Amino acid sequence: MENELRPLIVVGGSVVLTLLCGWAVDLLLRRVDARHPETPLWGLLRRCRLPLQVVLLTALLRGTYQETQWRLIEKHEADIGQVLSLVLIGAGAWLVIRIISAVVESSYARYASSTRDPARVRRVRTQVTLIMRIATAIVVVVAVAAMLLTFPGMEKLGASLLASAGVIGIVAGVAAQSTLGNLFAGFQIAFGDMVRIGDTVVVDGEWGVVEEVTLTFLAVRTWDERRITMPVSYFTSKPFENWSRGGAQMTGTVFFHLDHSAPVGLMREKLHDVLRECAAWDGRDWSLAVTDTTPSTMEVRAVVTAKDADDVWTARCAVRERMIAWLYEEHPYALPRITMSAVPLPEGGRADGPPPAAEVHTVNVPDVPDVADVADAAHAHATDNSPDGQHPRTGRG
């Protein structure tokens, strides 16, 4: 009877002890979090309860599974111990990553709540994201290495790998040249403050917002919800526009091509009225001026300001729509149009300008006494040469 209850006592006792420890730790963290609401660290550490319980349970089973005295366990004792060791190493790495993530996120949250400059917050967020990815990669590599060392015979494999490290290093360096370049470019972006998560950028003619930054690539979300994935080395080797650099405030322009009779003064007053009703305008600045002119139209430029790129786009569209509608309803003469009028002929001659069509077609005929006679002769010749005696085609179809 004792031999039959021993496995149940060992396994059940390990599970109960694990659950009690996890509950006690969670209760302690909740109380500390309630006493210190100024920092989210203790609340974030509560997410470590599950990996902590896995570590505790695996450690207890690893130390007591031999006490069950099951024949099946005694027969596969080495294999079971190997599996429990691997699970313990993996759970330990999981717990370490959760703890590091809680500490990093808590530090970022406290910094973001105490800093009013959004540019600095985005910079710290980018750095924190990359630091977290680096720490996760290091922990995973160490955990995998520890798992491999639990297998017998890995010492000989390690010695053989070290013996050929020179050749492998050369081959890996050549093969991973672009990857290593992106890796160092990621460090340069993170700590060089070139581009940050949330920045509005223009790359390859595409406007978007930086959504994700990793050690090897950068994702840009465009205005139409597309995602452009680019290697981080692009931002260290090619020029690009960063509209959020030095602040998110933006200045936009709206151009109108109007007739010379357009009421510029009234347009200036109307623009101010439109901006006062536009929620996207931040009230910093506005203007309207004639910036260029052509023989048929003049160019009028309206300048508006907004707090970010999205609002400046909204303000530009609102100004363009409202101003064109106002001009169409109140001042239609200001809209561009094509003027066509007859040219008066002077007495005793013809107006200076292009020659008549008859003269163009008979310019190569020498000694033309009369333009009308030549035109009639050409017409008769063309009619005679046509197969059906009708007028020839003129080339317009």
Side-chain angles (χ1 to χ4, degrees):
M1 186 67 178
E2 181 181 357
N3 293 334
E4 295 178 357
L5 294 178
R6 185 183 294 272
L8 180 61
I9 293 174
V10 171
V11 177
S14 300
V15 173
V16 172
L17 185 59
T18 299
L19 294 176
L20 289 176
C21 291
W23 175 81
V25 172
D26 186 70
L27 179 61
L28 179 62
L29 290 176
R30 279 188 294 175
R31 291 185 176 182
V32 176
D33 187 32
R35 293 180 181 179
H36 301 280
E38 72 279 358
T39 174
L41 175 62
W42 310 110
L44 293 173
L45 285 176
R46 293 183 60 193
R47 298 185 303 181
C48 303
R49 179 179 179 177
L50 180 58
L52 177 63
Q53 289 178 336
V54 175
V55 170
L56 290 176
L57 180 59
T58 308
L60 290 174
L61 293 177
R62 181 67 178 83
T64 60
Y65 78 99
Q66 297 177 349
E67 302 297 329
T68 58
Q69 296 182 359
W70 271 0
R71 293 182 180 179
L72 181 62
I73 294 179
E74 291 178 352
K75 184 178 180 180
H76 301 282
E77 179 178 349
D79 296 335
I80 294 175
Q82 182 77 18
V83 172
L84 290 176
S85 298
L86 295 177
V87 175
L88 181 60
I89 294 173
W94 184 17
L95 178 60
V96 171
I97 291 174
R98 283 291 181 89
I99 294 175
I100 295 176
S101 176
V103 174
V104 170
E105 290 184 16
S106 174
S107 302
Y108 168 72
R110 295 186 63 180
Y111 181 84
S113 61
S114 61
T115 304
R116 297 182 178 180
D117 189 358
R120 292 184 178 180
V121 174
R122 290 197 303 269
R123 180 183 61 187
V124 174
R125 180 184 176 187
T126 304
Q127 295 175 354
V128 163
T129 302
L130 292 179
I131 290 174
M132 188 61 208
R133 293 182 183 274
I134 294 171
T136 302
I138 293 175
V139 172
V140 170
V141 170
V142 172
V144 171
M147 290 180 179
L148 292 177
L149 291 177
T150 60
F151 293 93
M154 290 300 298
E155 295 81 2
K156 296 181 180 180
L157 180 59
S160 61
L161 290 176
L162 290 176
S164 58
V167 177
I168 294 177
I170 295 175
V171 174
V174 174
Q177 183 177 2
S178 60
T179 303
L180 293 176
N182 287 327
L183 181 63
F184 289 113
F187 281 106
Q188 186 175 355
I189 286 178
F191 299 98
D193 198 22
M194 299 174 57
V195 62
R196 299 153 296 196
I197 296 176
D199 282 2
T200 302
V201 297
V202 178
V203 290
D204 284 344
E206 295 283 351
W207 175 90
V209 178
V210 178
E211 188 177 48
E212 184 180 5
V213 178
T214 67
L215 292 178
T216 55
F217 71 89
L218 187 146
V220 178
R221 185 185 74 252
T222 60
W223 65 273
D224 54 356
E225 301 299 329
R226 290 182 294 115
R227 302 300 190 277
I228 301 177
T229 302
M230 309 186 69
V232 293
S233 58
Y234 175 89
F235 295 88
T236 59
S237 60
K238 296 182 180 180
F240 64 95
E241 297 183 26
N242 189 344
W243 291 3
S244 302
R245 183 78 174 181
Q249 297 176 343
M250 295 288 297
T251 300
T253 57
V254 180
F255 290 95
F256 302 96
H257 295 275
L258 306 174
D259 190 79
H260 293 98
S261 60
V264 178
L266 297 178
M267 289 182 61
R268 191 172 291 113
E269 297 177 0
K270 182 61 178 179
L271 173 63
H272 198 193
D273 295 338
V274 170
L275 291 178
R276 280 198 293 260
E277 299 174 1
C278 182
W281 181 52
D282 61 357
R284 288 189 297 116
D285 191 16
W286 69 277
S287 66
L288 187 140
V290 178
T291 55
D292 197 5
T293 181
T294 65
S296 59
T297 61
M298 66 178 179
E299 182 184 77
V300 180
R301 185 190 68 180
V303 176
V304 297
T305 59
K307 63 181 179 64
D308 54 28
D310 293 334
D311 282 355
V312 80
W313 173 265
T314 303
R316 290 173 61 194
C317 293
V319 167
R320 189 181 296 111
E321 179 180 350
R322 294 281 303 277
M323 292 295 294
I324 291 178
W326 176 76
L327 288 173
Y328 181 80
E329 295 175 357
E330 302 293 336
H331 305 279
Y333 60 89
L335 298 177
R337 58 186 184 272
I338 299 176
T339 304
M340 301 180 64
S341 60
V343 179
L345 294 177
E347 296 181 0
R350 74 180 186 192
D352 294 334
E359 295 186 14
V360 173
H361 289 290
T362 58
V363 68
N364 295 325
V365 180
D367 299 332
V368 180
D370 190 356
V371 173
D373 295 339
V374 174
D376 294 337
H379 176 71
H381 178 73
T383 303
D384 295 338
N385 291 336
S386 60
D388 53 357
Q390 299 179 357
H391 296 289
R393 300 176 62 89
T394 58
R396 294 189 179 182

